[in-house]
Amino acid sequence: SVSLFAMQKGLITKDNFNKKGLIEQLDQIHITFKTHPDSGLIETFLNNKSVEKEIRGLEVSNYVSEVAAIPEIRKHLVSLQKQIGKQKKIVMDGRDIGTVVFPNAELKLFITASTEVRAQRRFDELTEKGEKVTYKSILENIEKRDFLDTNRQDSPLLQAQDAFYLDNSNLSKEAQMKIILDLINTKTR
C-alpha cells in the first residue's frame, strides 16, 4: 500500500525514488482493512479506497522491496501492525512478521515454496484476473525481492527460530490447510 501511495504521488518511478519525500508524507498514509460485504474477504484500504487489486499487481510489486527497506517506513508499519495485532485472533503474513512484528506470536508459520512454484502461482493468479504478464517477469520479480529482502539491513527476511517450517511446493491447498489446522489445534489445547 505504501508503494502504491508512492507511485500515485510520483515519488517512485522506474528511474527515481524520492525517499525523503515519501518519509515526509507518511502521516498522509492511512491503511485499514475491511470485510467485503458480498464476498466476506478482507480488503486493504489506502486512504479509504479499496486497493486490493492494485497492490497485488506486478507494477506495485516491483517497488515493494525498495520501499520496505527504508527504516522509517518499516518503523511506521510495524507500529500499525502491532496496533492491529492487539485485537488478537488475527492472521498476518509478511517477511518479518514472526521475527520483528510479533516475535511472541502464539503460532508462527514459515510458509514457502520453490521460486518457480511461487512464480507459476502468481502468474496464474494475475492472468486469471486479466493482467498481461509473463512468467519470466514474475520469476525475475520474485528472485529480486527475495534477494533484496534477505539482504536488507533492517528486519531481513528470515525464519523465526520458533516458527514451523512448511514448504508447500507440492501440497494442495487442502493438504496445507490440514497441516495448519492441526498445528493450531495442537497449540490451543
Side-chain angles (χ1 to χ4, degrees), residues 5-145:
F5 178 88
M7 291 168 60
Q8 292 171 339
K9 297 293 183 179
L11 298 168
I12 193 166
T13 65
K14 184 179 172 189
D15 302 316
N16 185 42
F17 185 12
N18 182 351
K19 294 177 188 176
K20 185 175 185 256
L22 181 56
I23 292 166
E24 289 171 352
Q25 293 186 44
L26 277 176
D27 63 337
Q28 296 178 34
I29 301 173
H30 304 285
I31 302 168
T32 55
F33 303 92
K34 299 177 187 173
T35 303
H36 190 280
D38 297 328
S39 68
L41 298 174
I42 303 295
E43 288 186 74
T44 306
F45 282 74
L46 173 60
N47 297 332
N48 295 315
K49 180 180 182 270
S50 176
V51 293
E52 196 64 34
K53 181 179 179 189
E54 292 91 333
I55 63 172
R56 305 289 175 214
L58 190 57
E59 185 179 9
V60 171
S61 186
N62 283 326
Y63 298 117
V64 169
S65 291
E66 201 172 348
V67 170
I70 301 170
E72 293 88 347
I73 291 173
R74 298 202 68 73
K75 182 179 177 186
H76 180 76
L77 293 177
V78 167
S79 175
L80 172 65
Q81 291 167 319
K82 286 182 183 257
Q83 286 297 320
I84 294 167
K86 285 181 180 178
Q87 302 164 13
K88 294 283 188 175
K89 296 185 181 181
I90 189 163
V91 175
M92 280 196 184
D93 75 299
R95 294 183 165 217
D96 67 348
I97 298 296
T99 54
V100 175
V101 182
F102 296 113
N104 299 314
E106 296 168 44
L107 176 63
K108 297 180 201 174
L109 305 170
F110 189 85
I111 302 174
T112 191
S114 72
T115 308
E116 294 77 16
V117 168
R118 290 186 291 139
Q120 186 63 54
R121 289 173 180 167
R122 189 84 168 128
F123 175 78
D124 293 345
E125 174 189 349
L126 293 174
T127 55
E128 190 174 295
K129 293 177 181 177
E131 292 198 34
K132 303 285 186 223
V133 293
T134 65
Y135 171 83
K136 182 181 178 200
S137 66
I138 292 172
L139 179 65
E140 288 171 354
N141 173 263
I142 289 174
E143 290 171 340
K144 177 183 173 189
R145 283 188 64 191

